[in-house]
Amino acid sequence: MKNEVTLIATATMGLEALVAKEVRALGYDNVKTENGKVEFTGPYSAIARTNLWLRTADRVKIKVAEFNAFSFDELFEKTKAAPWEEFLPENAEFPVTGRSVKSTLFSISDCQAIVKKAVVEKLKKTYHTDWFKENGALYKIEVALHKDIATLTIDTSGEGLHKRGYRPLHSRAPLKETLAAAMIMLTNWKPDKPFADPLCGSGTIPIEAALIGQNIAPGFNRKFAAEAWPWMPQNIWDEAREEAEASADYEQLLDIQGSDIDHNNVKLAEENAMEAGLFDVVSFKQMQVADFYSKGEYGCLVTNPPYGERLYDKKEVEALYKSMGQSFTEHLPTWSVYVITSHQDFEKLYGKKASKKRKLYNGNIKTDYYQFFGPRPPRRK
């Protein structure tokens, strides 16, 4: 059995470059970026390390095979030829999911059934049996067809990587932790500068900022599907967790505050910060945007306000955007401000043109990430 695997870190559209940068920072060089995914190779330890460390990826999958598939026969034969015996033990539970985009084989249920049958046929030869109980660890197989190219993968993550384990409770329109981390990583914030989110909801953005600021691995608080796989020795996971623990800088002092007009959200945010082990690191208070201020200078404000598409009345949202523009300009003149919203007239309502704009997806909502750069801090003598 070889000790190197090809992995795919899946990503929300628009975040591929960030995910690739994270993968390279972990020391994996053979990186290929495509729409919605970043492919790279590494030893088995890369499965543990990427699951623990990737802040902006959705999942990590093993790429088992990739080939052209124009007919069901071709899909069956090429799937059967793939090295499933390297990954699936005899008692593996291996459900098959699928998707098809711009491909001749468009029936997802048929593709799933054929892949399942082909894998069974391969394993029959390997294990010399006609019956598989599937009562062991979970190996979730996916067949993804895009422009007649079939990619077969096994999911190593289990639950999506946005499930950090610190947020059992959230507000009504939660921001995915992976997107919150991406929004912070797209700013000029450094841990020695103040950071704030004045519309913090259940606290996701301030908590992700604290994890980044103290270099805490985002997956430190959870388990992954591949931890139950017999061919992934426990010491690989132990070493990856030891590395994460040694890399964390718990002594790094941070000035991170979150606030919200709703006291229930503030309570939620405090509970989530406590769950993440960051209760003393991040501070939360009840406050409306118009009153938001900070004594700190040259800070970074990142926020995900309501968009007016759901939950809130459009007029209320537009009044909120005007209030944000006035408050931040008046109270935070040296700060850089970053706002994500799908509202087309945001700049007009905010009263200022963004220094830069970037397209991002919040779930299925197409949004713009407005970046207002503050003045450069004076050089230290």
Side-chain angles (χ1 to χ4, degrees):
M1 199 170 182
K2 60 185 181 183
N3 188 27
E4 191 165 88
V5 279
T6 300
L7 298 172
I8 292 172
T10 60
T12 303
M13 295 284 276
L15 299 184
E16 297 92 345
L18 265 184
V19 173
K21 190 178 173 185
E22 286 195 88
V23 168
R24 285 192 188 95
L26 286 170
Y28 308 112
D29 298 323
N30 190 11
V31 179
K32 196 169 82 183
T33 306
E34 289 176 43
N35 276 352
K37 63 182 185 179
V38 174
E39 191 176 304
F40 58 101
T41 52
Y44 289 162
S45 59
I47 295 171
R49 293 180 72 235
T50 52
N51 271 299
L52 275 168
W53 279 105
L54 293 181
R55 297 182 193 279
T56 58
D58 292 328
R59 330 183 140 262
V60 177
K61 300 176 178 184
I62 294 170
K63 180 177 163 184
V64 181
E66 191 168 79
F67 48 79
N68 284 319
F70 298 99
S71 69
F72 289 134
D73 280 349
E74 200 173 6
L75 179 64
F76 179 83
E77 292 302 335
K78 288 179 176 176
T79 298
K80 190 179 165 189
W84 298 104
E85 70 283 2
E86 289 183 15
F87 304 107
L88 304 182
E90 190 176 346
N91 68 344
E93 182 189 348
F94 54 103
V96 180
T97 59
R99 53 197 167 91
S100 178
V101 179
K102 298 177 183 170
S103 295
T104 311
L105 304 179
F106 59 84
S107 169
I108 293 164
S109 56
D110 286 340
C111 291
Q112 288 173 185
I114 283 160
V115 167
K116 180 78 178 184
K117 190 179 175 193
V119 176
V120 167
E121 288 304 312
K122 180 63 175 275
L123 295 183
K124 274 183 184 179
K125 283 189 174 178
T126 305
Y127 297 114
H128 309 292
T129 181
D130 286 336
W131 176 251
F132 296 98
K133 287 182 180 175
E134 294 199 42
N135 59 358
L138 178 67
Y139 297 77
K140 198 172 170 188
I141 296 170
E142 183 188 61
V143 51
L145 286 139
H146 184 248
K147 294 182 180 174
D148 297 314
I149 295 171
T151 307
L152 298 170
T153 57
I154 302 171
D155 174 42
T156 73
S157 301
E159 287 197 295
L161 294 181
H162 70 282
K163 294 274 181 80
R164 312 287 207 221
Y166 66 72
R167 199 174 71 169
L169 305 164
H170 52 71
S171 50
R172 286 184 296 164
L175 184 73
K176 263 191 177 179
E177 292 86 335
T178 41
L179 180 57
M183 286 164 63
I184 297 156
M185 290 162 77
L186 289 168
T187 72
N188 59 3
W189 181 64
K190 297 282 185 289
D192 61 345
K193 299 276 188 294
F195 183 96
D197 177 5
L199 295 138
C200 72
S202 52
T204 309
I205 291 174
I207 291 169
E208 288 297 319
L211 293 175
I212 291 168
Q214 292 193 337
N215 199 37
I216 297 168
F220 79 104
N221 210 12
R222 55 161 287 178
K223 293 280 185 191
F224 305 96
E227 287 189 69
W229 297 355
W231 54 266
M232 279 278 291
Q234 184 58 43
N235 70 295
I236 284 179
W237 293 97
D238 292 343
E239 283 166 20
R241 287 199 160 90
E242 280 163 23
E243 178 199 15
E245 185 62 31
S247 304
D249 183 3
Y250 300 115
E251 301 304 310
Q252 172 67 55
L253 293 174
L254 299 171
D255 177 2
I256 297 177
Q257 56 175 316
S259 61
D260 200 280
I261 196 167
D262 184 340
H263 75 95
N264 289 322
N265 281 348
V266 173
K267 197 162 170 267
L268 258 182
E270 286 175 342
E271 286 169 14
N272 289 335
M274 190 180 279
E275 193 69 34
L278 296 164
F279 189 69
D280 296 335
V281 181
V282 189
S283 63
F284 294 100
K285 61 173 89 166
Q286 186 182 359
M287 193 191 293
Q288 57 183 10
V289 165
D291 297 332
F292 187 83
Y293 73 99
S294 170
K295 288 176 184 170
E297 289 195 302
Y298 303 102
C300 181
L301 185 153
V302 179
T303 195
N304 171 44
Y307 304 163
E309 294 194 355
R310 51 185 184 177
L311 306 188
Y312 287 82
D313 176 67
K314 201 169 183 183
K315 280 183 181 169
E316 257 183 69
V317 162
E318 291 178 350
L320 173 69
Y321 291 169
K322 284 177 186 170
S323 177
M324 283 164 63
Q326 289 159 4
S327 174
F328 302 162
T329 305
E330 185 185 336
H331 298 153
L332 307 167
T334 63
W335 283 49
S336 294
V337 173
Y338 300 81
V339 183
I340 189 171
T341 176
S342 62
H343 199 300
Q344 294 299 300
D345 293 326
F346 176 73
E347 284 167 307
K348 199 191 295 178
L349 294 159
Y350 188 79
K352 203 173 177 184
K353 196 153 177 54
S355 317
K356 201 174 170 187
K357 221 164 63 162
R358 186 181 179 127
K359 292 215 175 303
L360 291 176
Y361 280 86
N362 183 1
N364 295 323
I365 302 171
K366 200 174 180 180
T367 63
D368 283 300
Y369 191 38
Y370 295 92
Q371 304 169 51
F372 301 90
F373 302 146
R376 281 175 179 267
R379 277 194 150 170
R380 288 177 186 164
K381 289 179 183 175

